[in-house]
């Protein structure tokens, strides 16, 4: 199953010369998680696109707050929304996990714990 990514439009991921662009490693991981879960049949791509467009629309409406645009933060939020809507994870689980990840020191790499 191939992921039907938008080439254009509000849900289209950032690209350079046709290639996907990730500014930080977590962005590619978030992208990969969504694609893998879609390909596993956990949710449909239109469900994810709808959640992503809703996140982008909400961000656009709140632009007066001066928050800069971070596509993959919205992507990850959309993934959280879809999984919470499917009861695959609870909102509390998402918040707890996000808080734990946010408290990690910069440059933390999960491979450090594999030894």
């Amino acid at each position: 199953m191939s992921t039907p990514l938008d080439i254009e439009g509000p849900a289209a991921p950032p690209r350079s010369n046709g290639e996907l662009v990730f500014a930080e490693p977590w962005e590619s991981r978030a992208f990969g998680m969504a694609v893998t879960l879609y390909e596993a049949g956990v949710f449909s791509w239109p469900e994810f696109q709808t959640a992503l467009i809703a996140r982008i629309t909400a961000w656009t409406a709140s632009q007066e707050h001066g928050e800069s645009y971070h596509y993959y933060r919205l992507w990850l939020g959309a993934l959280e929304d879809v999984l919470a809507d499917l009861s695959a994870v609870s909102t509390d689980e998402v918040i707890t996990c996000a808080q734990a990840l946010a408290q990690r020191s910069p440059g933390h790499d999960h491979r450090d714990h594999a030894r």
Side-chain angles (χ1 to χ4, degrees):
M1 180 181 318
S2 158
T3 307
L5 292 174
D6 285 340
I7 302 289
E8 298 177 6
R15 294 180 186 266
S16 177
N17 295 322
E19 299 292 323
L20 293 171
V21 175
F22 304 103
E24 297 185 35
W26 73 264
E27 295 176 347
S28 64
R29 292 179 190 130
F31 178 85
M33 283 190 298
V35 170
T36 299
L37 291 169
Y38 157 72
E39 289 177 347
V42 174
F43 52 79
S44 71
W45 200 251
E47 287 175 296
F48 181 76
Q49 283 180 310
T50 299
L52 180 56
I53 290 169
R55 284 281 182 149
I56 293 169
T57 300
W59 177 85
T60 302
S62 69
Q63 267 188 319
E64 68 270 1
H65 301 299
E67 181 182 339
S68 57
Y69 183 77
H70 294 283
Y71 178 82
Y72 287 106
R73 285 186 187 161
L74 300 173
W75 176 281
L76 187 56
L79 179 58
E80 293 168 356
D81 293 343
V82 168
L83 294 176
D85 286 348
L86 294 171
S87 298
V89 295
S90 71
T91 302
D92 290 340
E93 288 173 310
V94 171
I95 291 169
T96 300
C97 191
Q99 288 172 339
L101 291 172
Q103 292 173 2
R104 289 175 141 176
S105 60
H108 175 82
D109 190 327
H110 68 279
R111 290 177 290 183
D112 295 339
H113 297 291
R115 295 181 199 152

